[in-house]
């Protein structure tokens, strides 16, 4: 037993992925289709998918936004967890990647809940704010270009309802956040947002060491 978070070796992590949640078979198949792609590391881990789906259910989310869709695995898990009248706006700039996911969304019967917007995410988020979505969104998942994180987080706080949940992925960035020699724009951006959210009285927050690090921030 340990008073700190365990370091998971491969066997223990395999146990977590096996026993840690019920990933739908279609999710597993989409992950496997994505694994063959050169940018496969951008996909969230299945245990993160289980956690996101549970969170979406827990807060009774109906309206959700995803910033950074890649091949659509997190969108699939989120959309499956939304009610039949739920809606998920997906922001991404790659038609090529998002097309990988679309057949799986259709097969899962959730394509009708997903509104994919191929444009820079800030443009889509600003259009939603201008369209009256401010204060109405239950769940927002941020997992896109890291230098854009602060812009996405600020817009997410405008869009979220009171009690709405913002989830931010890759907040540990492979451990680079504690490597002081690492001054790359991605690492610098993540470090800055982590410090900002830690001090941000607009939210209640917790950084979970799941996947590559997932921060949960509940709008007050
Ligand atoms: Ca990610």
């Amino acid at each position: 037993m340990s008073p700190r978070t365990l370091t998971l070796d491969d066997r223990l992590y395999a146990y977590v992925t096996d026993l840690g949640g019920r990933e739908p078979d279609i999710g597993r198949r989409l992950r496997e289709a994505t694994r063959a792609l050169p940018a496969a590391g951008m996909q969230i881990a299945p245990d993160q998918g289980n956690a996101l789906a549970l969170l979406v259910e827990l807060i009774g989310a109906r309206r959700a936004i995803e910033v950074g869709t890649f091949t659509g695995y997190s969108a699939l898990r989120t959309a499956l967890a939304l009610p039949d009248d739920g809606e998920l706006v997906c922001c991404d700039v790659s038609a090529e990647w998002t097309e990988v996911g679309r057949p799986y969304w259709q097969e899962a019967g959730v394509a009708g809940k997903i509104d994919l917007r191929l444009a820079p995410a800030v443009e889509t988020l600003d259009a939603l704010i201008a369209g009256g979505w401010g204060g109405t969104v239950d769940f927002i998942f941020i997992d896109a270009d890291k230098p854009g994180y602060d812009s996405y987080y600020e817009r997410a706080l405008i869009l979220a309802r009171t009690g709405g949940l913002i989830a931010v992925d890759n907040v540990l960035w492979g451990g680079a956040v504690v490597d002081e020699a690492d001054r790359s724009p991605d690492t610098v951006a993540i470090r800055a947002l982590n410090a900002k959210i830690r001090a941000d009285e607009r939210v209640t927050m917790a950084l979970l060491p799941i996947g590559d690090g997932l921060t949960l921030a509940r709008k007050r």
Side-chain angles (χ1 to χ4, degrees), residues 30 43-44 49 52 66 68-69 71-79 88 141 143:
L30 175 51
Q43 180 167 261
I44 65 164
L52 290 178
E66 175 176 275
T69 292
T71 62
Y73 177 77
S74 49
L76 175 71
R77 299 298 308 269
T78 301
L88 171 63
F141 181 46
D143 186 16

Side-chain angles (χ1 to χ4, degrees), residues 3-217:
R4 48 152 288 167
T5 300
L6 286 176
T7 302
L8 303 183
D9 62 19
D10 287 350
R11 280 182 61 211
L12 197 49
Y13 184 63
Y15 183 86
V16 169
T17 51
D18 284 351
L19 276 292
R22 287 193 290 269
E23 181 186 42
D25 182 63
I26 192 165
R28 180 188 56 75
R29 284 189 282 122
L30 175 51
R31 276 195 303 112
E32 285 174 4
T34 302
R35 197 181 297 153
L37 301 173
M42 283 165 58
Q43 180 167 261
I44 65 164
D47 44 326
Q48 278 186 293
N50 298 333
L52 290 178
L54 177 60
L55 288 168
V56 167
E57 277 192 30
L58 269 177
I59 65 169
R62 197 192 70 77
R63 180 174 268 185
I65 299 172
E66 175 176 275
V67 182
T69 292
F70 187 45
T71 62
Y73 177 77
S74 49
L76 175 71
R77 299 298 308 269
T78 301
L80 282 168
L82 289 171
D84 289 344
D85 68 343
E87 51 186 339
L88 171 63
V89 173
C90 288
C91 308
D92 207 286
V93 291
S94 172
E96 183 190 355
W97 296 137
T98 51
E99 278 308 307
V100 174
R102 193 181 296 275
Y104 295 85
W105 299 344
Q106 283 164 348
E107 185 185 334
V110 298
K113 299 182 197 173
I114 297 176
D115 175 4
L116 173 63
R117 312 263 184 114
L118 287 176
V122 164
E123 289 178 16
T124 299
L125 298 174
D126 283 345
L128 292 172
I129 292 166
W133 276 40
T136 72
V137 181
D138 304 298
F139 179 76
I140 302 165
F141 181 46
I142 298 173
D143 186 16
D145 64 288
K146 308 316 171 197
Y149 263 28
D150 190 69
S151 302
Y152 308 143
Y153 175 70
E154 285 299 329
R155 283 161 179 80
L157 273 173
I158 295 169
L159 287 159
R161 66 166 164 86
T162 300
L165 186 63
I166 301 167
V168 186
D169 194 32
N170 299 111
V171 296
L172 297 179
W173 206 225
V177 286
V178 293
D179 176 3
E180 287 174 13
D182 189 334
R183 304 278 167 82
S184 71
D186 288 347
T187 306
V188 168
I190 290 169
R191 255 190 224 122
L193 183 62
N194 287 345
K196 175 175 171 169
I197 296 177
R198 170 67 176 76
D200 193 345
E201 296 290 343
R202 296 173 295 178
V203 297
T204 306
M205 60 79 65
L207 190 166
L208 307 183
I210 178 175
D212 191 28
L214 181 73
T215 288
L216 303 180

